Amino acid sequence: MRAIPYVPLDIDEPRELVAAIRARRGGTLLNLDRMLLHSPPLAAGWNTLLRAVRTELAVPPKLRELAMCAVAVLNHAEYEFHHHAPLFLGAGGTTSQLDALRSVCDTGTESPAFDKAERTVLMLAIEMTRTVQLGPTTLAAARDALADDGQLVEIVGVIAAYNMVSRVIVALEIEPE
């Protein structure tokens, strides 16, 4: 049993915050939300940030979801992978890419399953997650592979945000629904 229990699924206070989270989630609360609601200020900031990261960026959804899945694999955050693998597939990813992802993240080797932009996103995710810093070669490859510096800043933000997500998930032992 986890050290901190989830708040009840039928929680309705603070009303505006719970309604906003439910709206972002299609009417329900996920276990992650139920843990974050132990701290309404944290849950509110989280909801705002992750809504923007998930729905308001110019970087293509397939690359966003690939980055999120890579971070999940690197940080052993199965909850995160469980939720984002289907979204990656829905954004145009393939099951062979998901299968290859675990190997690429473990060994750091390239895979023919991924195109240039996808390999670059994987390099970014691996470096940022393992060492935080980006090497000049990776940064140059990212600038070349992405549409513009805005997309580079966005994908770095996605990777950073989902490293935060995965660390909360793993530390608090949040389980898939």
Side-chain angles (χ1 to χ4, degrees), residues 85-154:
L87 298 172
F88 173 70
L89 295 173
T94 67
T95 54
S96 63
Q97 287 178 313
L98 285 176
D99 293 341
L101 183 60
R102 291 191 190 274
S103 173
V104 168
C105 288
D106 286 343
T107 63
T109 59
E110 292 193 12
S111 169
F114 301 101
D115 67 23
K116 179 181 176 181
E118 294 161 348
R119 285 191 304 273
T120 299
V121 166
L122 291 172
M123 287 180 358
L124 289 166
I126 290 167
E127 282 188 31
M128 287 181 62
T129 302
R130 289 186 178 153
T131 65
V132 183
Q133 296 178 328
L134 291 177
T137 303
T138 301
L139 189 56
R143 290 188 87 189
D144 184 54
L146 297 168
D148 55 37
D149 285 348
Q151 285 193 9
L152 176 54
V153 169
E154 288 180 355

Side-chain angles (χ1 to χ4, degrees), residues 64-82:
R64 280 196 318 262
E65 293 299 333
L66 178 61
M68 294 170 196
C69 288
V71 169
V73 169
L74 289 161
N75 289 330
H76 308 286
E78 287 304 314
Y79 178 95
E80 188 171 11
F81 191 83
H82 170 83

Side-chain angles (χ1 to χ4, degrees), residues 28 33 35 49 97:
T28 189
D33 306 316
M35 187 63 72
L49 172 63
Q97 287 178 313

Side-chain angles (χ1 to χ4, degrees), residues 11 16-19 32 39 75 88 100 132 136-137 142-143 149 160 174 176:
I11 189 173
E16 286 183 26
L17 174 58
V18 172
L32 176 57
S39 171
N75 289 330
F88 173 70
V132 183
T137 303
R143 290 188 87 189
D149 285 348
I174 298 172

